[in-house]
Amino acid sequence: MPVADLPGVGKARAASLRRLDIHSVTDLLRHTPMRYEREAAEGGIDALPTDGKTVGTARGEVAACRWVPAMGYGKKGRFEATLRDLEGSAKTATLRLTWFNAGYLRDRIHAGMWLRVSGKAKLFDRYPQIVNPKWEALDPDDPDAHPEGKAGRLRPVYPATENLGSPAIERLLDGVLAWALPATVDPLPPELLEHHAMPTLAEALRMIHRPADADEPKRARRRLAFNELLLLQLGIAVRRAEVDQRCVAPKLRHGPAIDAHIRERFPFELTPTQSAAVNEIAADLARDRPMNRMLQGDVGAGKTVVALYALLMAVADRRQGALMAPTELLAEQHFLSISRLLEGANVRVALV
């Protein structure tokens, strides 16, 4: 289902989602949080965490507010408000709120209003303060006019864009998870999940987007990583089967005479391990199936000589061979070393 068909997603928001490579609901579910912020349960102002790291939520009455213009700037400055909590405390608790360059709040927040605010509080002049908090107006006389106090949770923080912040992505997922998770089909059988102590795919998606505790995202990532690795291995297996069953490679002639002729081109004898590698490669190249091998060795172990042997097998069968290098500099080095080894031979070497 395209995300553009979701409620609340217009053309502008769909374009922002595309910039995050989110085109479908599946892409949205796979857009996992990059980190989490601990959000404390809503409580009184005197119970707010003031470590500057934990997001706290409180409500209260605006006792006073003012606009403080910046020196020399007419439109820049800060809007300040003082929130007081008259409930559940023997003395009045106060919270300072500061919004920078938010002059529009002068027409929206005034003394006597009730607000719910959330943010990371710090002590400033012995008083708790939240800079640029999120806020919503409340009606203290109508308990049904606003939602109940928020419980503590881990709030996901998503990769976002300038026009589409993490809270908007979170709200979008809130409308999707309820119906998308029950419709999620798990590709793994239950006995495999039980053997590896992994959650179902639907539960893993729930854990990563709406974790109940700090351990759930770790369990979810393990399951999602297992899916990715399994898909990669299946892709490799399918590709290998296709190569083995459908692809045809030319058989390269090989025998004692060709082997001796190639070895004569080297100014040294191959080591036993080089000879073993050469024999396995020669056997592969003599088949009508493409070879798929990895040659591993330390720097200076003689890997280039083994590769050159395979190239000369192709030349001995009147074909061409190519040695590909990841950088131009390395290609030049191989060209020079191979040219020296084949000096005087009837083999043309070229750097492409």
Side-chain angles (χ1 to χ4, degrees):
M1 176 181 178
V3 287
D5 293 346
L6 292 175
V9 179
K11 290 183 178 180
R13 178 157 291 185
S16 297
L17 288 167
R18 285 195 298 271
R19 283 195 289 273
L20 292 169
D21 203 21
I22 300 175
H23 305 273
S24 66
V25 172
T26 299
D27 296 333
L28 183 63
L29 292 173
R30 290 175 177 170
H31 190 71
T32 55
M34 56 185 178
R35 58 186 173 87
Y36 299 87
E37 290 182 346
R38 185 168 293 280
E39 192 173 76
E42 182 177 326
I45 291 176
D46 54 357
L48 273 176
T50 56
D51 56 7
K53 299 178 181 179
T54 304
V55 177
T57 304
R59 72 175 69 187
E61 181 184 8
V62 178
C65 53
R66 64 173 183 167
W67 170 255
V68 182
M71 292 289 292
Y73 296 93
K75 295 184 179 180
K76 293 188 176 182
R78 65 182 186 273
F79 183 79
E80 297 179 346
T82 301
L83 205 67
R84 62 182 179 182
D85 179 10
L86 303 177
E87 299 177 352
S89 178
K91 62 178 182 178
T92 302
T94 60
L95 172 65
R96 293 178 176 177
L97 307 173
T98 302
W99 292 268
F100 288 98
N101 302 324
Y104 67 94
L105 292 178
R106 287 178 286 184
D107 299 325
R108 302 182 64 179
I109 296 178
H110 54 80
M113 286 182 63
W114 277 76
L115 302 179
R116 173 191 282 135
V117 296
S118 62
K120 300 176 183 178
K122 287 185 178 180
L123 290 179
F124 183 74
D125 286 342
R126 295 178 300 173
Y127 289 95
Q129 180 189 47
I130 301 178
V131 177
N132 296 327
K134 297 179 181 178
W135 66 278
E136 60 178 313
L138 304 177
D139 184 355
D141 299 324
D142 184 1
D144 297 327
H146 55 81
E148 294 300 318
K150 298 180 179 180
R153 65 173 185 135
L154 284 176
R155 187 178 67 182
V157 179
Y158 294 93
T161 68
E162 183 178 355
N163 298 324
L164 184 68
S166 176
I169 297 174
E170 184 181 357
R171 289 192 296 270
L172 203 56
L173 276 160
D174 281 337
V176 165
L177 292 174
W179 58 265
L181 294 187
T184 300
V185 178
D186 201 318
L188 302 185
E191 56 269 20
L192 183 63
L193 298 178
E194 183 179 358
H195 175 75
H196 290 292
M198 293 189 301
T200 64
L201 183 56
E203 186 65 8
L205 290 170
R206 196 277 305 164
M207 287 178 174
I208 200 130
H209 290 295
R210 299 296 177 265
D213 54 55
D215 289 331
E216 284 197 342
K218 300 176 185 177
R219 295 177 57 201
R221 286 196 179 94
R222 177 172 177 263
R223 169 61 207 273
L224 297 179
F226 186 94
N227 273 31
E228 290 185 11
L229 292 172
L230 177 61
L231 186 62
L232 176 64
Q233 290 299 315
L234 289 173
I236 292 174
V238 169
R239 176 59 181 157
R240 183 178 293 136
E242 288 179 347
V243 169
D244 191 56
Q245 297 171 12
R246 299 182 183 180
C247 297
V248 178
K251 295 181 179 180
L252 298 183
R253 293 183 296 111
H254 188 256
I258 293 177
D259 176 69
H261 186 64
I262 293 176
R263 289 174 183 260
E264 287 176 358
R265 302 310 314 165
F266 304 143
F268 47 78
E269 288 189 9
L270 299 184
T271 66
T273 51
Q274 285 175 321
S275 293
V278 160
N279 291 336
E280 292 184 17
I281 289 173
D284 278 355
L285 295 179
R287 297 172 62 239
D288 62 354
R289 293 289 182 267
M291 178 178 66
N292 183 19
R293 286 187 176 271
M294 181 178 73
L295 182 65
Q296 182 176 335
D298 295 334
V299 175
K303 299 185 295 294
T304 305
V305 172
V306 175
L308 178 57
Y309 187 103
L311 293 170
L312 292 175
M313 268 190 67
V315 173
D317 202 18
R318 299 185 179 278
R319 298 180 183 274
Q320 291 182 332
L323 176 66
M324 291 172 40
T327 66
E328 185 176 357
L329 179 61
L330 188 58
E332 291 173 353
Q333 292 174 352
H334 282 310
F335 171 70
L336 293 174
S337 62
I338 290 175
S339 296
R340 285 194 296 268
L341 288 172
L342 297 180
E343 190 174 357
N346 189 24
V347 177
R348 184 167 64 89
V349 184
L351 178 64
V352 180

Short mmCIF file of all heavy atoms in Angstrom, two decimals, residues 189-233:
data_model
loop_
_atom_site.label_atom_id
_atom_site.label_comp_id
_atom_site.label_asym_id
_atom_site.label_seq_id
_atom_site.Cartn_x
_atom_site.Cartn_y
_atom_site.Cartn_z
N PRO A 189 9.15 -20.52 10.28
CA PRO A 189 8.26 -21.43 11.00
C PRO A 189 8.41 -21.27 12.52
O PRO A 189 9.48 -20.89 13.01
CB PRO A 189 8.72 -22.81 10.54
CG PRO A 189 10.14 -22.61 10.10
CD PRO A 189 10.23 -21.22 9.57
N PRO A 190 7.35 -21.55 13.28
CA PRO A 190 7.39 -21.37 14.73
C PRO A 190 8.51 -22.14 15.41
O PRO A 190 9.12 -21.66 16.37
CB PRO A 190 6.01 -21.86 15.19
CG PRO A 190 5.14 -21.72 13.99
CD PRO A 190 6.03 -21.98 12.81
N GLU A 191 8.80 -23.35 14.93
CA GLU A 191 9.84 -24.16 15.59
C GLU A 191 11.22 -23.52 15.44
O GLU A 191 12.06 -23.65 16.34
CB GLU A 191 9.86 -25.59 15.05
CG GLU A 191 10.02 -25.71 13.53
CD GLU A 191 8.71 -25.73 12.80
OE1 GLU A 191 7.69 -25.27 13.38
OE2 GLU A 191 8.70 -26.19 11.64
N LEU A 192 11.46 -22.84 14.33
CA LEU A 192 12.75 -22.15 14.15
C LEU A 192 12.84 -20.96 15.10
O LEU A 192 13.88 -20.70 15.69
CB LEU A 192 12.91 -21.70 12.71
CG LEU A 192 14.25 -21.03 12.36
CD1 LEU A 192 15.40 -22.00 12.55
CD2 LEU A 192 14.24 -20.52 10.93
N LEU A 193 11.73 -20.22 15.24
CA LEU A 193 11.72 -19.09 16.18
C LEU A 193 11.95 -19.57 17.60
O LEU A 193 12.70 -18.94 18.37
CB LEU A 193 10.39 -18.36 16.09
CG LEU A 193 10.03 -17.71 14.74
CD1 LEU A 193 8.66 -17.07 14.81
CD2 LEU A 193 11.08 -16.67 14.37
N GLU A 194 11.34 -20.68 17.95
CA GLU A 194 11.52 -21.21 19.30
C GLU A 194 12.95 -21.68 19.51
O GLU A 194 13.54 -21.45 20.57
CB GLU A 194 10.54 -22.38 19.52
CG GLU A 194 10.60 -22.96 20.92
CD GLU A 194 9.61 -24.09 21.11
OE1 GLU A 194 8.85 -24.40 20.16
OE2 GLU A 194 9.59 -24.67 22.22
N HIS A 195 13.54 -22.29 18.50
CA HIS A 195 14.91 -22.78 18.63
C HIS A 195 15.90 -21.64 18.86
O HIS A 195 16.84 -21.77 19.65
CB HIS A 195 15.31 -23.56 17.37
CG HIS A 195 16.74 -24.00 17.35
ND1 HIS A 195 17.19 -25.07 18.12
CD2 HIS A 195 17.82 -23.53 16.68
CE1 HIS A 195 18.48 -25.22 17.93
NE2 HIS A 195 18.90 -24.31 17.04
N HIS A 196 15.68 -20.51 18.18
CA HIS A 196 16.59 -19.37 18.31
C HIS A 196 16.10 -18.34 19.34
O HIS A 196 16.72 -17.28 19.46
CB HIS A 196 16.76 -18.68 16.96
CG HIS A 196 17.54 -19.49 15.96
ND1 HIS A 196 18.88 -19.75 16.10
CD2 HIS A 196 17.16 -20.10 14.81
CE1 HIS A 196 19.30 -20.48 15.08
NE2 HIS A 196 18.27 -20.71 14.29
N ALA A 197 15.01 -18.64 20.04
CA ALA A 197 14.46 -17.74 21.06
C ALA A 197 14.23 -16.35 20.48
O ALA A 197 14.65 -15.33 21.05
CB ALA A 197 15.39 -17.67 22.27
N MET A 198 13.53 -16.31 19.33
CA MET A 198 13.26 -15.04 18.67
C MET A 198 11.76 -14.77 18.63
O MET A 198 10.96 -15.70 18.55
CB MET A 198 13.80 -15.06 17.23
CG MET A 198 15.31 -15.12 17.14
SD MET A 198 15.92 -14.89 15.44
CE MET A 198 15.12 -16.24 14.58
N PRO A 199 11.37 -13.49 18.68
CA PRO A 199 9.94 -13.15 18.56
C PRO A 199 9.47 -13.30 17.13
O PRO A 199 10.27 -13.39 16.19
CB PRO A 199 9.91 -11.68 19.01
CG PRO A 199 11.26 -11.15 18.66
CD PRO A 199 12.21 -12.29 18.86
N THR A 200 8.16 -13.29 16.96
CA THR A 200 7.61 -13.29 15.60
C THR A 200 7.95 -11.96 14.93
O THR A 200 8.34 -10.98 15.60
CB THR A 200 6.08 -13.47 15.63
OG1 THR A 200 5.50 -12.34 16.29
CG2 THR A 200 5.70 -14.75 16.36
N LEU A 201 7.79 -11.90 13.62
CA LEU A 201 8.11 -10.68 12.90
C LEU A 201 7.20 -9.53 13.34
O LEU A 201 7.66 -8.40 13.53
CB LEU A 201 7.97 -10.92 11.39
CG LEU A 201 8.33 -9.75 10.49
CD1 LEU A 201 9.75 -9.26 10.74
CD2 LEU A 201 8.17 -10.14 9.02
N ALA A 202 5.91 -9.81 13.51
CA ALA A 202 4.99 -8.77 13.96
C ALA A 202 5.37 -8.25 15.34
O ALA A 202 5.35 -7.05 15.59
CB ALA A 202 3.56 -9.31 13.96
N GLU A 203 5.72 -9.16 16.23
CA GLU A 203 6.11 -8.75 17.58
C GLU A 203 7.42 -7.97 17.56
O GLU A 203 7.61 -7.01 18.31
CB GLU A 203 6.22 -9.97 18.49
CG GLU A 203 6.47 -9.64 19.96
CD GLU A 203 5.32 -8.88 20.63
OE1 GLU A 203 4.25 -8.72 20.00
OE2 GLU A 203 5.51 -8.44 21.77
N ALA A 204 8.35 -8.37 16.69
CA ALA A 204 9.61 -7.64 16.57
C ALA A 204 9.38 -6.22 16.09
O ALA A 204 10.02 -5.27 16.57
CB ALA A 204 10.56 -8.38 15.64
N LEU A 205 8.47 -6.05 15.14
CA LEU A 205 8.15 -4.70 14.64
C LEU A 205 7.50 -3.86 15.74
O LEU A 205 7.77 -2.67 15.87
CB LEU A 205 7.24 -4.78 13.42
CG LEU A 205 7.90 -5.34 12.15
CD1 LEU A 205 6.84 -5.60 11.09
CD2 LEU A 205 8.96 -4.38 11.62
N ARG A 206 6.64 -4.50 16.54
CA ARG A 206 6.04 -3.78 17.66
C ARG A 206 7.11 -3.37 18.67
O ARG A 206 7.14 -2.24 19.17
CB ARG A 206 4.99 -4.66 18.32
CG ARG A 206 4.01 -3.92 19.24
CD ARG A 206 4.56 -3.71 20.64
NE ARG A 206 4.99 -4.96 21.26
CZ ARG A 206 5.79 -5.00 22.32
NH1 ARG A 206 6.27 -3.88 22.85
NH2 ARG A 206 6.15 -6.16 22.84
N MET A 207 8.04 -4.29 18.95
CA MET A 207 9.09 -4.01 19.94
C MET A 207 10.00 -2.87 19.50
O MET A 207 10.45 -2.08 20.33
CB MET A 207 9.95 -5.28 20.15
CG MET A 207 9.28 -6.38 20.92
SD MET A 207 10.40 -7.81 21.02
CE MET A 207 9.47 -8.88 22.11
N ILE A 208 10.29 -2.78 18.21
CA ILE A 208 11.24 -1.77 17.76
C ILE A 208 10.59 -0.40 17.65
O ILE A 208 11.25 0.63 17.82
CB ILE A 208 11.89 -2.17 16.42
CG1 ILE A 208 13.19 -1.40 16.22
CG2 ILE A 208 10.98 -1.91 15.23
CD1 ILE A 208 14.35 -2.21 15.86
N HIS A 209 9.27 -0.37 17.38
CA HIS A 209 8.58 0.91 17.25
C HIS A 209 7.93 1.36 18.55
O HIS A 209 7.87 2.56 18.83
CB HIS A 209 7.52 0.84 16.15
CG HIS A 209 8.08 0.75 14.77
ND1 HIS A 209 8.83 1.76 14.19
CD2 HIS A 209 8.02 -0.25 13.83
CE1 HIS A 209 9.20 1.40 12.97
NE2 HIS A 209 8.73 0.19 12.73
N ARG A 210 7.44 0.42 19.35
CA ARG A 210 6.77 0.77 20.60
C ARG A 210 7.28 -0.14 21.72
O ARG A 210 6.56 -1.00 22.23
CB ARG A 210 5.25 0.63 20.44
CG ARG A 210 4.64 1.53 19.39
CD ARG A 210 4.79 3.01 19.75
NE ARG A 210 4.25 3.87 18.70
CZ ARG A 210 4.99 4.41 17.74
NH1 ARG A 210 6.29 4.15 17.67
NH2 ARG A 210 4.44 5.19 16.84
N PRO A 211 8.54 0.00 22.12
CA PRO A 211 9.10 -0.91 23.11
C PRO A 211 8.50 -0.69 24.49
O PRO A 211 8.24 0.46 24.90
CB PRO A 211 10.59 -0.55 23.09
CG PRO A 211 10.63 0.88 22.65
CD PRO A 211 9.49 1.03 21.67
N ALA A 212 8.30 -1.80 25.21
CA ALA A 212 7.81 -1.72 26.58
C ALA A 212 8.94 -1.49 27.57
O ALA A 212 8.72 -0.98 28.67
CB ALA A 212 7.05 -3.00 26.93
N ASP A 213 10.17 -1.89 27.19
CA ASP A 213 11.33 -1.67 28.06
C ASP A 213 12.57 -1.58 27.19
O ASP A 213 12.51 -1.72 25.96
CB ASP A 213 11.47 -2.80 29.09
CG ASP A 213 11.50 -4.18 28.46
OD1 ASP A 213 12.35 -4.41 27.57
OD2 ASP A 213 10.67 -5.03 28.83
N ALA A 214 13.71 -1.34 27.83
CA ALA A 214 14.96 -1.10 27.09
C ALA A 214 15.50 -2.35 26.41
O ALA A 214 16.33 -2.24 25.49
CB ALA A 214 16.02 -0.53 28.04
N ASP A 215 15.06 -3.54 26.84
CA ASP A 215 15.57 -4.78 26.24
C ASP A 215 14.85 -5.15 24.95
O ASP A 215 15.41 -5.86 24.11
CB ASP A 215 15.45 -5.95 27.23
CG ASP A 215 16.43 -5.81 28.39
OD1 ASP A 215 17.51 -5.22 28.17
OD2 ASP A 215 16.11 -6.27 29.50
N GLU A 216 13.62 -4.70 24.77
CA GLU A 216 12.85 -5.11 23.60
C GLU A 216 13.47 -4.65 22.27
O GLU A 216 13.48 -5.43 21.31
CB GLU A 216 11.41 -4.61 23.73
CG GLU A 216 10.60 -5.44 24.70
CD GLU A 216 9.11 -5.25 24.55
OE1 GLU A 216 8.69 -4.24 23.94
OE2 GLU A 216 8.35 -6.11 25.04
N PRO A 217 13.99 -3.41 22.15
CA PRO A 217 14.62 -3.05 20.87
C PRO A 217 15.80 -3.95 20.51
O PRO A 217 16.02 -4.23 19.33
CB PRO A 217 15.06 -1.60 21.09
CG PRO A 217 14.14 -1.08 22.14
CD PRO A 217 13.89 -2.24 23.05
N LYS A 218 16.56 -4.42 21.50
CA LYS A 218 17.68 -5.33 21.22
C LYS A 218 17.17 -6.65 20.66
O LYS A 218 17.73 -7.17 19.68
CB LYS A 218 18.48 -5.56 22.50
CG LYS A 218 19.07 -4.30 23.12
CD LYS A 218 19.75 -4.61 24.44
CE LYS A 218 20.23 -3.34 25.12
NZ LYS A 218 20.83 -3.63 26.45
N ARG A 219 16.12 -7.19 21.26
CA ARG A 219 15.54 -8.45 20.77
C ARG A 219 14.97 -8.27 19.37
O ARG A 219 15.10 -9.14 18.51
CB ARG A 219 14.45 -8.94 21.73
CG ARG A 219 14.95 -9.32 23.12
CD ARG A 219 13.79 -9.72 24.00
NE ARG A 219 13.04 -10.82 23.40
CZ ARG A 219 11.79 -11.11 23.73
NH1 ARG A 219 11.14 -10.38 24.63
NH2 ARG A 219 11.18 -12.14 23.16
N ALA A 220 14.34 -7.11 19.14
CA ALA A 220 13.74 -6.85 17.82
C ALA A 220 14.82 -6.73 16.75
O ALA A 220 14.68 -7.28 15.65
CB ALA A 220 12.90 -5.58 17.88
N ARG A 221 15.90 -6.01 17.05
CA ARG A 221 16.98 -5.85 16.07
C ARG A 221 17.62 -7.19 15.73
O ARG A 221 18.01 -7.43 14.60
CB ARG A 221 18.03 -4.88 16.60
CG ARG A 221 17.58 -3.43 16.57
CD ARG A 221 18.77 -2.48 16.73
NE ARG A 221 18.34 -1.10 16.68
CZ ARG A 221 18.05 -0.36 17.74
NH1 ARG A 221 18.19 -0.89 18.94
NH2 ARG A 221 17.67 0.89 17.62
N ARG A 222 17.75 -8.06 16.74
CA ARG A 222 18.32 -9.39 16.49
C ARG A 222 17.45 -10.15 15.50
O ARG A 222 17.95 -10.80 14.58
CB ARG A 222 18.44 -10.14 17.81
CG ARG A 222 18.96 -11.57 17.68
CD ARG A 222 19.23 -12.18 19.04
NE ARG A 222 19.65 -13.56 18.91
CZ ARG A 222 18.83 -14.61 19.03
NH1 ARG A 222 17.54 -14.42 19.30
NH2 ARG A 222 19.27 -15.84 18.89
N ARG A 223 16.12 -10.07 15.67
CA ARG A 223 15.23 -10.79 14.75
C ARG A 223 15.28 -10.18 13.35
O ARG A 223 15.34 -10.91 12.35
CB ARG A 223 13.80 -10.74 15.30
CG ARG A 223 12.73 -11.23 14.30
CD ARG A 223 13.00 -12.70 13.93
NE ARG A 223 12.49 -13.02 12.62
CZ ARG A 223 11.24 -13.42 12.36
NH1 ARG A 223 10.36 -13.53 13.34
NH2 ARG A 223 10.88 -13.73 11.15
N LEU A 224 15.25 -8.85 13.26
CA LEU A 224 15.29 -8.20 11.95
C LEU A 224 16.63 -8.45 11.25
O LEU A 224 16.68 -8.62 10.04
CB LEU A 224 15.02 -6.71 12.10
CG LEU A 224 13.64 -6.34 12.66
CD1 LEU A 224 13.51 -4.82 12.79
CD2 LEU A 224 12.52 -6.89 11.81
N ALA A 225 17.72 -8.47 12.03
CA ALA A 225 19.03 -8.79 11.44
C ALA A 225 19.06 -10.22 10.93
O ALA A 225 19.64 -10.51 9.87
CB ALA A 225 20.12 -8.56 12.48
N PHE A 226 18.44 -11.14 11.68
CA PHE A 226 18.37 -12.54 11.24
C PHE A 226 17.65 -12.61 9.89
O PHE A 226 18.09 -13.34 8.98
CB PHE A 226 17.63 -13.37 12.29
CG PHE A 226 17.62 -14.85 12.00
CD1 PHE A 226 18.57 -15.69 12.55
CD2 PHE A 226 16.64 -15.42 11.18
CE1 PHE A 226 18.57 -17.05 12.29
CE2 PHE A 226 16.63 -16.77 10.90
CZ PHE A 226 17.60 -17.59 11.46
N ASN A 227 16.56 -11.87 9.74
CA ASN A 227 15.83 -11.85 8.46
C ASN A 227 16.72 -11.38 7.33
O ASN A 227 16.72 -11.96 6.24
CB ASN A 227 14.60 -10.95 8.57
CG ASN A 227 13.39 -11.68 9.11
OD1 ASN A 227 13.54 -12.61 9.89
ND2 ASN A 227 12.21 -11.26 8.73
N GLU A 228 17.46 -10.29 7.55
CA GLU A 228 18.32 -9.74 6.50
C GLU A 228 19.41 -10.73 6.11
O GLU A 228 19.69 -10.93 4.92
CB GLU A 228 18.93 -8.43 6.97
CG GLU A 228 17.93 -7.28 7.09
CD GLU A 228 18.61 -5.98 7.45
OE1 GLU A 228 19.84 -5.92 7.39
OE2 GLU A 228 17.90 -5.01 7.79
N LEU A 229 20.04 -11.35 7.10
CA LEU A 229 21.12 -12.30 6.81
C LEU A 229 20.57 -13.54 6.12
O LEU A 229 21.20 -14.08 5.21
CB LEU A 229 21.84 -12.69 8.11
CG LEU A 229 22.65 -11.57 8.77
CD1 LEU A 229 23.15 -11.99 10.14
CD2 LEU A 229 23.82 -11.17 7.88
N LEU A 230 19.40 -14.00 6.54
CA LEU A 230 18.79 -15.17 5.91
C LEU A 230 18.46 -14.85 4.45
O LEU A 230 18.73 -15.67 3.55
CB LEU A 230 17.53 -15.57 6.66
CG LEU A 230 16.75 -16.75 6.06
CD1 LEU A 230 17.59 -18.00 6.03
CD2 LEU A 230 15.46 -16.98 6.84
N LEU A 231 17.91 -13.66 4.20
CA LEU A 231 17.58 -13.26 2.83
C LEU A 231 18.84 -13.19 1.97
O LEU A 231 18.85 -13.62 0.81
CB LEU A 231 16.86 -11.92 2.84
CG LEU A 231 16.33 -11.42 1.50
CD1 LEU A 231 15.27 -12.38 0.96
CD2 LEU A 231 15.75 -10.03 1.64
N LEU A 232 19.92 -12.67 2.56
CA LEU A 232 21.18 -12.58 1.83
C LEU A 232 21.70 -13.97 1.47
O LEU A 232 22.12 -14.22 0.33
CB LEU A 232 22.21 -11.82 2.66
CG LEU A 232 23.62 -11.72 2.09
CD1 LEU A 232 23.63 -10.93 0.79
CD2 LEU A 232 24.57 -11.06 3.09
N GLN A 233 21.67 -14.88 2.44
CA GLN A 233 22.16 -16.24 2.20
C GLN A 233 21.30 -16.97 1.17
O GLN A 233 21.82 -17.71 0.33
CB GLN A 233 22.21 -17.02 3.50
CG GLN A 233 23.28 -16.55 4.47
CD GLN A 233 24.67 -16.70 3.89
OE1 GLN A 233 25.01 -17.71 3.30
NE2 GLN A 233 25.49 -15.66 4.03
#
